[in-house]
Amino acid sequence: MVSCFGYAQNPDYNTLWNKVENYESEGLPKSALQVVEDISELAKKDKNASQQIKALLFKSKFALILEEDAQLSIINEYKIEISSSDFPKKNILENMLANLFWQYFNENRYTFYSRTKTTEKVDSEDFRTWDLETLFHEIHIHYQNSLENGLMLQLEPLGTYDDLLVVFNDSKQLRPTLFDFLSHNALNFYKTNETSITKPAYKFEINNPEFIGDAKTFSLLPIVSKDTTSLQLNALKIYQNLIHFHLKDADPLALTDANIERLQFVKAQATFDNKETLLLKTLKTERDQISTHEASGLYDFEIASLLFQQGLNYSPKAKKETRWKAKEAFDICNNVITQFPQSKAAEKCAILKQKIDQQILQITTEDFLPIQQVSRLLIQYKNLSSLNFKVYKLSQKDISRLNNLYRKEEQLDFIKKLKPYTSWESTLRNENDYQIHSTEVLVPKLDNGLYLIFGSPETKNEETFAFSTIQVTNLALVETEDNEHKIFQIIDRNNGAPIANAKTTLRFQQNNIKSFDTMELVTDAFGEIKIKKDKDRFRNLSIEIEYKNDSAFFKEFYVGSVYKVDNEKITYKSFLFTDRSIYRPGQTVYFKAIAMKTEDTKSEVLANHDMVATLYDVNDQEIKNIDLKSNEYGSVSGEFILPISGLTGEYYIELDSETKDLSTDFYFSVEEYKRPKFETKFNPVTDTFKVNDSVTVKGSALAYAGSNITDAKVVYRVYRKVQYPSWYYWYRPSFYSEPQEITHGETMTDASGNFEIVFKAIPDQSVDKSSLPVFNYEIMADVTDLNGETRSALTVVNVGYHALVANLSIESQLDKTKKDH
């Protein structure tokens, strides 16, 4: 909201605000702030709420420049101002405060996501220390406070507050009252879809098709849920209040604007089926009710946009029914422009019409074509009836220059300067369906050389053109290699016969040297040239071939260096063990290690060898070292006493040798801990469940001494996650389903130490059943005995719309001479 305010001046305060602007432009924020303080005092005397709020805004702006902890002091000043303000100033300030919190979250999103949820505010005064849910709750409270006294807000014309606003043409028609302005500000928050906020078991979902119904029906719907803090729920309530307020308007523009926003929001968040069909029906109903008013064009624009999006899914082999959707959208846009030429709807439709009517052209060719043979190229086009083709003969220098041009204007200027080699015209089939089609076009016979094929429509529209480069040659290059050589074979492109005695010129960069070297070789009887591998490597290798009246150019090859493996190399390795993985400060760490030597793929122990074992703390500080010597079995052993007052955390022992490379680190934990007295575990789940079944999971708490843990408190939570088949992720890689808490509660262990957790396997309604999802229900239980000791356990129950998941594995290679696999 802060960004919405500008410098519009009230004549009574014009001189003072001019001073502020002058000081600010001169880089004197302190002087500017002093004038703002004077304006604030004057506005309080005049009881001018608009100027008071504007002064507060500028004080906040200069505070960010002049103060260290400005954000905290600004928030506190807003709170003080709110506590002493009345309607409507208080409502505006509440809305602004909520927006300040919302802006702070957006600027520090990562920080909030990395924080753990706390049971209460860490510092109730410093919002910078809050967790995500606490901050969102605070934002919610202030936005709700800003919308109190809604009937009175609806009587406040927004024009009263022009001093605070950047005013656009016709903006008052869409936001005529203070109620509209504050509501839409709040909607910017409630329409967000933050996934890291914990959702309750009774999470509100937009699962009722009536939410996408017409405005009058929607305004009368009961919107209730136990999930009172749901962002979606509160967004719908605000939309309902806006629509109910504007239903009685003589001018339907404000109603239409709010209603379209509501419909778009519901479509994006709804979990029910046939959303687009229902939306289309509602848009047509609303349009027909105000067909003679220019606001109906806004509904028509939404209908056309939806049809255009459906048309983008057209394929000749699938979605055939969507072929003419773009044509329908185009006709609707034309009708709106004709009926309401000066309206906002006509302006939007003109842009959409331009997008639908856009010409598209793409040329795909083979990289290499045989000499003097007719070939084909593939054309993909939209809204074109004919094409002019021109062929230009190029040099390698021309190709390089063209490849370094990326702007269409530069590419076209370059091509225009070339001399055409040949040209022809081709007629395309245009059925005016505004869809992309493809066809093949014949390319005339060409002599040996490099060519550019350029296509453009007959209309000489310089915005639409496409080109592709080809090389016409009967020579082809095959690349192979072995351990010692990189091999290039030159063959006849038409029959595969090797080309002997062909002259080749190799151009390359050696290692990291920037300059290019050249090498000339002649192919042998097999049409091959061989490059012997050594310690050097060849980069950006290109090969130019000349044979009789034919020449060819191939590039972007690489020759790697060769490394000989020394089979006689000796390697050393050691393995270290401790008597446990967790220790307390002051305890003794007993360790043992075994050293091994590997030579010529054979391993043996490293006997009678000197080694050093060193103990390090969590800060990598050396505590103690011990000199050791391995026995005839290659093993050493020793002990370290941990410091009593040392740091806790991850310690490690390093085993090393001065003469052999066998360094090994072994990590273990040093913690202040109490030995557990009992264990909590879940029984294996053997039953099969389906969605919406009641699931019972059993567990037990048993003391290590063998007795049962009776009357212990069990606190449990059940979370649902969604897992898709592996094929789904390459098919739709962008999908994400947020974890949701299904239930939580408390129970007690019985006389045998057993407990039960019962929950309903509620599916995620936003997930498509046809995608075969599996819902993973994670059950976490914390058992606390009478002495206050707590032990936890976790289990997972998998439930799906299908009962079985089958996996098929097969070897990556099969021998076709074998009959059985």
Side-chain angles (χ1 to χ4, degrees):
M1 182 171 173
V2 173
S3 61
C4 295
F5 296 105
Y7 290 84
Q9 306 297 332
N10 185 314
D12 298 337
Y13 294 84
N14 189 56
T15 304
L16 291 173
W17 283 118
N18 281 337
K19 284 186 178 180
V20 172
E21 189 174 343
N22 291 334
Y23 281 135
E24 189 176 6
S25 63
E26 293 171 6
L28 301 171
K30 283 188 177 180
S31 300
L33 179 59
Q34 184 58 55
V35 179
V36 172
E37 295 282 4
D38 295 339
I39 295 173
S40 179
E41 291 300 319
L42 179 61
K44 287 179 181 178
K45 291 179 181 178
D46 295 344
K47 295 183 179 180
N48 188 324
S50 179
Q51 289 295 332
Q52 289 179 52
I53 296 170
K54 182 175 181 179
L56 181 60
L57 278 170
F58 273 81
K59 285 163 68 176
S60 302
K61 176 182 178 180
F62 295 130
L64 288 171
I65 301 173
L66 300 170
E67 298 179 21
E68 285 189 12
D69 289 331
Q71 291 169 324
L72 186 59
S73 63
I74 289 169
I75 294 295
N76 289 333
E77 187 162 358
Y78 269 85
K79 289 180 178 179
I80 293 170
E81 195 71 29
I82 288 170
S83 63
S84 60
S85 300
D86 298 321
F87 175 90
K89 177 184 173 184
K90 182 175 183 179
N91 295 65
I92 297 173
L93 292 174
E94 289 275 13
N95 199 277
M96 291 169 62
L97 178 58
N99 200 61
L100 287 175
F101 282 132
W102 178 229
Q103 287 180 351
Y104 181 79
F105 163 76
N106 285 307
E107 293 167 1
N108 300 273
R109 182 184 300 268
Y110 175 78
T111 303
F112 282 100
Y113 276 161
S114 61
R115 284 180 184 164
T116 305
K117 180 184 176 182
T118 57
T119 55
E120 57 186 32
K121 292 181 183 178
V122 175
D123 184 341
S124 60
E125 298 300 324
D126 191 348
F127 65 94
R128 297 169 299 182
T129 64
W130 297 346
D131 62 53
L132 183 61
E133 291 197 32
T134 302
L135 181 70
F136 268 50
H137 178 72
E138 197 78 10
I139 296 171
H140 168 69
I141 292 297
H142 289 295
Y143 273 132
Q144 293 300 311
N145 290 345
S146 75
L147 297 176
E148 287 182 352
N149 303 311
L151 292 176
M152 295 172 64
L153 288 172
Q154 293 170 7
L155 299 175
E156 283 284 319
L158 194 58
T160 308
Y161 304 92
D162 279 354
D163 285 350
L164 300 173
L165 304 170
V166 176
V167 181
F168 296 99
N169 291 335
D170 303 324
S171 61
K172 296 292 172 38
Q173 289 183 291
L174 304 181
R175 308 283 188 273
T177 69
L178 186 59
F179 176 73
D180 291 284
F181 185 75
L182 299 182
S183 295
H184 282 280
N185 266 358
L187 282 169
N188 290 332
F189 166 70
Y190 288 117
K191 286 164 64 177
T192 188
N193 192 22
E194 298 297 333
T195 58
S196 291
I197 306 171
T198 302
K199 305 295 192 301
Y202 43 84
K203 167 192 169 185
F204 174 76
E205 291 184 334
I206 301 179
N207 52 14
N208 183 359
E210 290 186 328
F211 286 138
I212 209 169
D214 64 89
K216 188 171 183 180
T217 301
F218 174 74
S219 69
L220 300 175
L221 281 179
I223 305 177
V224 293
S225 173
K226 289 170 60 181
D227 187 11
T228 55
T229 60
S230 164
L231 300 181
Q232 294 181 358
L233 175 74
N234 284 283
L236 286 179
K237 286 184 174 181
I238 292 175
Y239 276 126
Q240 191 175 56
N241 291 335
L242 281 169
I243 289 170
H244 189 272
F245 166 49
H246 287 297
L247 274 171
K248 61 180 181 295
D249 289 355
D251 186 336
L253 272 173
L255 171 63
T256 301
D257 179 70
N259 195 32
I260 288 175
E261 272 196 28
R262 183 264 306 187
L263 293 171
Q264 291 173 336
F265 173 71
V266 173
K267 176 181 176 289
Q269 304 295 336
T271 60
F272 50 81
D273 297 329
N274 301 320
K275 293 188 288 187
E276 286 193 359
T277 303
L278 294 170
L279 174 60
L280 203 57
K281 179 181 177 182
T282 299
L283 289 170
K284 290 178 180 179
T285 300
E286 299 285 28
R287 176 200 60 192
D288 293 343
Q289 290 178 356
I290 54 171
S291 57
T292 58
H293 194 280
E294 67 177 60
S296 67
L298 295 171
Y299 287 116
D300 270 328
F301 169 75
E302 296 299 325
I303 294 169
S305 298
L306 189 56
L307 292 173
F308 174 61
Q309 289 299 320
Q310 291 176 349
L312 294 177
N313 296 323
Y314 166 70
S315 168
K317 296 181 180 179
K319 298 281 186 181
K320 293 182 180 180
E321 69 279 2
T322 64
R323 178 179 177 182
W324 297 97
K325 297 293 185 181
K327 176 71 166 60
E328 291 181 48
F330 189 82
D331 292 340
I332 290 173
C333 288
N334 275 336
N335 291 336
V336 172
I337 294 170
T338 302
Q339 190 174 2
F340 310 108
Q342 303 301 319
S343 66
K344 186 71 175 176
E347 183 181 328
K348 288 186 172 185
C349 283
I351 297 172
L352 179 58
K353 180 183 170 183
Q354 185 179 13
K355 187 182 296 185
I356 298 170
D357 201 30
Q358 181 185 17
Q359 292 180 334
I360 293 176
L361 176 62
Q362 181 178 341
I363 297 176
T364 305
T365 63
E366 298 283 353
D367 292 331
F368 299 90
L369 297 177
I371 297 173
Q372 283 297 312
Q373 289 190 25
V374 176
S375 58
R376 299 172 184 268
L377 54 83
L378 177 67
I379 300 293
Q380 288 184 297
Y381 65 96
K382 175 187 171 188
N383 299 331
L384 293 172
S385 300
S386 62
L387 286 175
N388 288 328
F389 288 98
K390 292 181 181 179
V391 178
Y392 303 91
K393 195 164 186 178
L394 305 178
S395 64
Q396 281 295 334
K397 186 176 180 181
D398 291 331
I399 292 284
S400 298
R401 287 180 59 195
L402 181 59
N403 289 339
N404 288 325
L405 300 176
Y406 301 102
R407 294 175 55 197
K408 294 185 67 175
E409 299 84 356
E410 294 176 343
Q411 293 172 341
L412 188 59
D413 288 342
F414 174 83
I415 294 171
K416 281 182 176 180
K417 296 175 183 177
L418 300 174
K419 183 179 180 180
Y421 180 83
T422 186
S423 63
W424 74 95
E425 294 182 0
S426 181
T427 301
L428 303 177
R429 184 176 177 180
N430 184 4
E431 299 188 13
N432 297 312
D433 57 2
Y434 303 97
Q435 297 292 348
I436 295 176
H437 297 281
S438 61
T439 188
E440 289 185 334
V441 175
L442 291 178
V443 179
K445 297 178 182 179
L446 297 171
D447 293 325
N448 174 238
L450 292 167
Y451 295 91
L452 181 142
I453 299 179
F454 176 86
S456 62
E458 288 184 344
T459 56
K460 307 297 182 183
N461 178 8
E462 293 193 349
E463 290 293 322
T464 305
F465 67 88
F467 61 86
S468 182
T469 56
I470 61 171
Q471 187 171 176
V472 179
T473 176
N474 287 332
L475 303 174
L477 182 68
V478 180
E479 175 190 13
T480 57
E481 64 181 300
D482 56 29
N483 290 335
E484 296 185 355
H485 295 90
K486 186 81 168 185
I487 304 169
F488 296 99
Q489 185 183 33
I490 315 303
I491 62 172
D492 189 305
R493 179 173 302 279
N494 297 300
N495 56 32
I499 305 294
N501 299 316
K503 180 183 175 182
T504 64
T505 303
L506 283 67
R507 190 168 183 266
F508 55 87
Q509 291 173 295
Q510 197 166 347
N511 298 322
N512 294 320
I513 299 174
K514 292 184 178 180
S515 61
F516 280 84
D517 289 335
T518 59
M519 178 191 304
E520 293 187 354
L521 299 171
V522 177
T523 59
D524 59 19
F526 300 104
E528 294 180 343
I529 58 172
K530 295 183 178 180
I531 302 174
K532 187 174 178 62
K533 296 179 181 178
D534 55 21
K535 63 180 181 179
D536 297 321
R537 52 194 172 86
F538 296 171
R539 300 181 298 111
N540 298 323
L541 173 65
S542 62
I543 303 175
E544 188 173 354
I545 306 168
E546 294 182 11
Y547 180 72
K548 295 183 178 179
N549 296 324
D550 197 353
S551 65
F553 183 82
F554 304 90
K555 61 180 182 178
E556 296 183 359
F557 296 105
Y558 175 82
V559 181
S561 55
V562 65
Y563 294 94
K564 292 185 177 180
V565 180
D566 186 2
N567 293 328
E568 301 300 321
K569 185 177 179 180
I570 301 174
T571 59
Y572 299 92
K573 193 173 185 179
S574 59
F575 305 89
L576 195 146
F577 313 90
T578 60
D579 60 325
R580 65 180 76 170
S581 59
I582 303 177
Y583 298 86
R584 291 197 303 271
Q587 285 190 327
T588 301
V589 179
Y590 297 95
F591 68 91
K592 183 175 182 178
I594 300 174
M596 303 288 295
K597 177 178 74 172
T598 302
E599 183 176 0
D600 194 18
T601 71
K602 294 182 180 180
S603 298
E604 61 182 27
V605 297
L606 187 61
N608 303 313
H609 185 73
D610 294 328
M611 288 177 273
V612 178
T614 308
L615 175 66
Y616 292 90
D617 66 10
V618 293
N619 292 328
D620 297 321
Q621 300 295 317
E622 180 180 326
I623 297 176
K624 186 179 180 182
N625 62 68
I626 306 173
D627 293 326
L628 302 166
K629 188 171 185 176
S630 61
N631 59 21
E632 58 184 309
Y633 302 108
S635 69
V636 296
S637 60
E639 59 186 61
F640 289 110
I641 299 176
L642 297 171
I644 295 176
S645 58
L647 296 171
T648 58
E650 195 170 51
Y651 283 54
Y652 66 96
I653 298 172
E654 181 183 75
L655 186 67
D656 208 347
S657 168
E658 292 184 1
T659 59
K660 310 294 182 187
D661 183 17
L662 51 71
S663 179
T664 298
D665 294 340
F666 181 84
Y667 289 82
F668 57 90
S669 295
V670 177
E671 305 289 349
E672 290 283 3
Y673 75 100
K674 181 171 64 174
R675 188 183 296 277
K677 294 181 180 178
F678 72 93
E679 176 189 24
T680 299
K681 63 181 181 180
F682 281 105
N683 300 339
V685 179
T686 57
D687 295 334
T688 300
F689 302 99
K690 58 184 179 181
V691 294
N692 291 315
D693 277 356
S694 179
V695 180
T696 301
V697 180
K698 297 181 179 181
S700 61
L702 182 67
Y704 288 110
S707 58
N708 299 322
I709 305 298
T710 62
D711 298 326
K713 184 173 76 171
V714 182
V715 178
Y716 63 86
R717 291 183 181 275
V718 180
Y719 287 90
R720 182 193 64 215
K721 298 180 180 179
V722 181
Q723 176 185 341
Y724 279 87
S726 57
W727 54 262
Y728 189 87
Y729 293 98
W730 59 258
Y731 180 58
R732 294 178 183 172
S734 61
F735 181 83
Y736 175 76
S737 178
E738 61 189 65
Q740 181 185 340
E741 181 183 296
I742 296 299
T743 186
H744 65 273
E746 294 183 6
T747 184
M748 303 287 287
T749 59
D750 59 19
S752 301
N754 299 320
F755 60 89
E756 287 187 355
I757 297 173
V758 181
F759 65 93
K760 185 177 180 181
I762 303 171
D764 188 338
Q765 299 292 345
S766 63
V767 171
D768 184 6
K769 297 180 183 179
S770 64
S771 301
L772 301 181
V774 174
F775 302 108
N776 307 136
Y777 297 90
E778 290 187 358
I779 304 101
M780 293 178 287
D782 298 324
V783 179
T784 304
D785 68 3
L786 298 176
N787 296 317
E789 182 177 336
T790 301
R791 296 293 151 199
S792 303
L794 171 70
T795 191
V796 178
V797 176
N798 298 318
V799 181
Y801 294 105
H802 53 295
L804 180 68
V805 175
N807 292 317
L808 177 67
S809 60
I810 189 171
E811 293 183 11
S812 58
Q813 293 184 348
L814 297 178
D815 187 347
K816 66 180 182 180
T817 62
K818 295 180 180 179
K819 294 183 179 180
D820 299 324
H821 291 286

